């Protein structure tokens, strides 16, 4: 129906960018970007009327977002006529509208368009060799200043390369390195950098993204205290597998948080580095988890470790911290103990209540907590089982 509306208004309508790329690759993508050669807002209003959606318009940009009843969002933009910006590269005027809209974008694989008007439905516009680069698995910029104009593209190149296991084309690689050496990353705000890092680390293959970020010197450029070696990259790769081991507990685990813990696991100057990955939330948790890491490992390997001690070591830790230790420690014994805690110890509770203690004429006070703790300890150590056992235990002690 988008094509129909375009025909009626006499505008050319295209679906562009990531949607086209993923369609060709047969990957799911529900972000639809539409470019109109004509008045994008007028088109969007007509489109919205027919689909009964909700519309937000941004008049000064000539863009609009239509949100369908299903919750899907469709972005509609007016093809930008930026002819004068690249005078040498201009094709014929009437064609240049969608052309220049595509030309100002990031990579060839993201710069293809499919026409939606009825008579030309499905015609692929591929002015910059995107199809060929998709076939050859290449990330390639369109013009030399791309990374200078928009340094977030350094991160985007790495994100797409990691996601699809594509190579960054040689010249593009050189332009990335040039932009980094000209300190272009520093021109981005802290928030932008964080958003891009988060996108890479939340994408399909974070360890590949991290590897590229390191190889290209992005990590070092961001903060020289942050050192990511092959061991860390391998451990980040293992996180998926480690999380699977925790699947049966049905606890939601933030994979991102585990990845960040792993990345930061050998950083000395945490205060300087954490804000690359989080705003302020989770700072305490990250610091505590990493600060106690060595002592916890040591305790887990101690010869006289008993179940109660194991319980006290791990209780109160977030699931992400536990998964991180599990993933990071590289030791079968430690992993076994962490699983023992997850499977059994953390679920042990006692039957006796405050009411029971009152009935035994014990007057309320800090003593209650002490008694409960002692019973729990006895229970974890297997000395008591039932409520009767617990009551007897109280009388005896
Ligand atoms: N784009 C760009 N430069 C940027 C950001 C975006 O040129 N810094 C262009 C790209 O052509 C991209 C389109 O805008 O295809 C939409 O951007 P976005 O939704 O971020 O990219 P997708 O390719 O859809 O990525 P994803 O698959 O991660 O959604």
């Amino acid at each position: 129906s988008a094509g129909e509306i375009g025909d009626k208004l006499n505008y050319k309508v295209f679906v562009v960018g990531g949607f086209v790329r993923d369609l060709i690759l047969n990957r799911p993508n529900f972000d639809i970007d539409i470019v109109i050669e004509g008045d994008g807002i007028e088109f969007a209003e007509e489109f919205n009327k027919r689909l009964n959606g909700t519309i937000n318009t941004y008049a000064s940009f000539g863009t609009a977002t239509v949100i369908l009843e299903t919750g899907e969002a469709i972005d509609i933009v007016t093809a930008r006529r930026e002819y004068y910006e690249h005078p040498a590269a201009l094709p014929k005027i009437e064609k240049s509208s969608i052309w220049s809209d595509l030309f100002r974008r990031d990579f060839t694989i993201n710069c293809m368009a499919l026409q939606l008007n009825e008579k030309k439905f499905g015609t692929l516009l591929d002015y910059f060799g995107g199809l060929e680069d998709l076939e050859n698995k290449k990330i390639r910029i369109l013009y030399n200043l791309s990374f200078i104009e928009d340094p977030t593209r350094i991160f985007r190149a790495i994100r797409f390369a990691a996601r699809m296991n594509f190579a960054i084309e040689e010249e593009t690689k050189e332009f990335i390195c040039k932009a980094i050496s000209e300190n272009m990353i520093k021109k981005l705000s802290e928030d932008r950098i964080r958003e891009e890092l988060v996108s890479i680390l939340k994408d399909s293959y974070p360890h590949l993204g991290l590897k590229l970020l390191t190889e290209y010197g992005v990590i070092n450029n961001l903060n020289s205290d942050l050192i990511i070696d092959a061991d860390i990259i391998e451990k980040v790769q293992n996180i998926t597998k480690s999380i699977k081991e925790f699947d049966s507990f049905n606890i939601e685990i933030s994979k991102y948080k585990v990845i960040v813990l792993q990345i930061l696991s050998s950083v000395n100057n945490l205060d300087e580095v954490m804000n690359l990955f989080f705003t302020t939330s989770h700072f305490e948790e990250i610091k505590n988890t990493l600060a106690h890491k060595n002592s916890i490992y040591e305790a887990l390997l101690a010869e006289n470790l008993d179940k109660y001690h194991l319980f006290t070591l791990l209780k109160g830790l977030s699931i992400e911290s536990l998964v991180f230790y599990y993933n990071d420690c590289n030791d079968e014994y430690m992993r076994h103990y962490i699983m023992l805690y997850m499977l059994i110890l953390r679920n042990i509770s006692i039957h006796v209540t405050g009411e029971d203690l009152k009935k035994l004429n014990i007057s309320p006070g800090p003593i209650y907590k002490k008694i409960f703790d002692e019973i729990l300890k006895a229970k974890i150590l297997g000395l008591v089982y039932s409520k009767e056992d617990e009551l007897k235990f109280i009388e005896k002690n």
Side-chain angles (χ1 to χ4, degrees), residues 17-19 21-22 29 31 33 104-106 110-111 150 152-153 156 159-160 163 203:
F19 182 84
R21 175 197 70 218
D22 289 339
N29 186 329
D31 292 333
D33 291 306
R104 67 188 172 82
R105 293 169 183 259
D106 52 5
N110 288 342
C111 291
D150 181 355
T152 61
R153 290 176 175 168
R156 290 174 61 86
R159 169 154 60 93
F160 291 121
R163 181 196 297 174
D203 218 300

Side-chain angles (χ1 to χ4, degrees), residues 21 31 106 152-164 190-210 213 222 236 255-257 259-260 263 276-278:
R21 175 197 70 218
D31 292 333
D106 52 5
T152 61
R153 290 176 175 168
I154 297 168
F155 295 89
R156 290 174 61 86
I158 287 172
R159 169 154 60 93
F160 291 121
R163 181 196 297 174
M164 305 184 288
E190 216 175 63
D191 287 344
R192 287 303 291 282
I193 292 175
R194 188 185 312 109
E195 274 167 32
E196 294 297 331
L197 284 176
V198 171
S199 293
I200 291 173
L201 297 175
K202 285 192 174 173
D203 218 300
S204 318
Y205 302 102
H207 72 287
L208 291 181
L210 204 55
L213 284 169
L222 287 173
V236 168
K255 184 178 177 186
Y256 178 71
K257 218 198 265 180
I259 290 174
V260 174
I263 290 175
L276 284 172
F277 304 98
F278 285 109

Side-chain angles (χ1 to χ4, degrees), residues 13-140:
V13 181
F14 304 93
V15 57
V16 302
F19 182 84
V20 180
R21 175 197 70 218
D22 289 339
L23 188 72
I24 295 169
L25 289 173
N26 214 354
R27 286 165 168 263
N29 186 329
F30 302 104
D31 292 333
I32 300 182
D33 291 306
I34 285 180
V35 174
I36 304 297
E37 269 191 12
D39 185 340
I41 295 200
E42 184 192 359
F43 173 92
E45 275 163 355
E46 188 66 26
F47 188 63
N48 183 54
K49 234 192 276 167
R50 298 217 192 165
L51 292 175
N52 255 328
T54 317
I55 186 168
N56 296 317
T57 57
Y58 310 93
S60 54
F61 296 103
T63 67
T65 303
V66 173
I67 298 154
L68 307 183
E69 279 169 325
T70 56
E72 268 170 85
I74 299 179
D75 285 320
I76 295 166
V77 313
T78 306
R80 305 221 180 136
R81 296 166 189 272
E82 295 168 347
Y83 310 140
Y84 31 83
E85 272 197 15
H86 318 283
L90 271 187
K92 286 188 201 140
I93 291 290
E94 67 266 26
K95 272 197 183 164
S96 52
S97 198
I98 179 74
W99 184 91
S100 53
D101 192 277
L102 295 172
F103 184 69
R104 67 188 172 82
R105 293 169 183 259
D106 52 5
F107 310 114
T108 59
I109 59 165
N110 288 342
C111 291
M112 290 180 280
L114 279 175
Q115 193 161 354
L116 299 180
N117 299 79
E118 209 159 346
K119 286 204 178 118
K120 298 220 168 160
F121 190 87
T123 308
L124 180 73
L125 301 191
D126 178 19
Y127 296 122
F128 312 104
L131 200 56
E132 194 184 335
D133 283 338
L134 262 192
E135 272 159 17
N136 296 327
K137 298 175 173 268
K138 286 262 156 46
I139 308 291
R140 184 196 308 269

Side-chain angles (χ1 to χ4, degrees), residues 14 34 74 123 134 136 211 229 264 276 282 285 295 315 327 330 393-394:
F14 304 93
I34 285 180
I74 299 179
T123 308
L134 262 192
N136 296 327
K211 192 163 170 234
D229 55 18
L264 298 178
L276 284 172
H282 309 301
E285 184 187 339
S295 63
K315 90 174 164 160
N327 187 70
N330 244 337
F393 179 84
I394 296 169

Side-chain angles (χ1 to χ4, degrees), residues 142-354:
L142 277 73
Y143 54 95
N144 299 356
L145 291 177
S146 195
F147 293 118
I148 304 284
E149 273 178 17
D150 181 355
T152 61
R153 290 176 175 168
I154 297 168
F155 295 89
R156 290 174 61 86
I158 287 172
R159 169 154 60 93
F160 291 121
R163 181 196 297 174
M164 305 184 288
N165 204 5
F166 278 26
I168 297 177
E169 175 272 331
E170 280 309 313
E171 229 180 7
T172 302
K173 220 182 247 183
E174 282 167 27
F175 283 118
I176 291 181
C177 294
K178 194 154 169 266
I180 293 174
S181 69
E182 285 172 16
N183 258 327
M184 295 314 295
I185 293 179
K186 299 263 152 70
K187 303 230 153 122
L188 298 171
S189 70
E190 216 175 63
D191 287 344
R192 287 303 291 282
I193 292 175
R194 188 185 312 109
E195 274 167 32
E196 294 297 331
L197 284 176
V198 171
S199 293
I200 291 173
L201 297 175
K202 285 192 174 173
D203 218 300
S204 318
Y205 302 102
H207 72 287
L208 291 181
L210 204 55
K211 192 163 170 234
L212 289 170
L213 284 169
T214 309
E215 280 171 13
Y216 282 93
V218 177
I219 293 291
N220 189 50
N221 191 272
L222 287 173
N223 192 311
S224 52
D225 286 329
L226 189 54
I227 292 172
I228 294 176
D229 55 18
D231 179 56
I232 289 195
I233 290 170
E234 192 186 332
K235 283 177 174 173
V236 168
Q237 181 174 11
N238 293 339
I239 287 174
T240 310
K241 209 166 77 200
S242 295
I243 286 180
K244 269 223 159 64
E245 305 283 336
F246 287 71
D247 264 359
S248 61
F249 304 118
N250 266 328
I251 303 173
E252 203 177 315
I253 299 168
S254 157
K255 184 178 177 186
Y256 178 71
K257 218 198 265 180
V258 182
I259 290 174
V260 174
L261 281 165
Q262 192 65 71
I263 290 175
L264 298 178
S265 57
S266 55
V267 171
N268 295 320
N269 223 337
L270 276 176
D271 284 320
E272 306 279 311
V273 184
M274 281 185 297
N275 56 6
L276 284 172
F277 304 98
F278 285 109
T279 45
T280 53
S281 55
H282 309 301
F283 277 15
E284 281 310 304
E285 184 187 339
I286 289 173
K287 278 201 206 174
N288 282 329
T289 304
L290 296 177
H292 296 135
K293 184 182 112 158
N294 289 333
S295 63
I296 286 191
Y297 289 180
E298 218 171 283
L300 287 177
L301 288 179
E303 277 187 23
N304 53 358
L305 178 74
D306 66 40
K307 284 184 192 163
Y308 182 70
H309 191 195
L310 175 60
F311 172 82
T312 56
L313 279 175
L314 302 183
K315 90 174 164 160
L317 292 174
S318 71
I319 187 70
E320 286 84 7
S321 299
L322 290 167
V323 175
F324 162 67
Y325 291 143
Y326 185 91
N327 187 70
D328 176 76
C329 70
N330 244 337
D331 182 281
E332 284 315 310
Y333 280 101
M334 290 196 226
R335 286 187 177 158
H336 170 81
Y337 288 137
I338 293 171
M339 277 303 155
L340 176 66
Y341 170 79
M342 285 302 298
L343 275 166
I344 299 171
L345 305 185
R346 79 188 167 106
N347 301 314
I348 295 178
S349 58
I350 62 175
H351 301 289
V352 168
T353 64

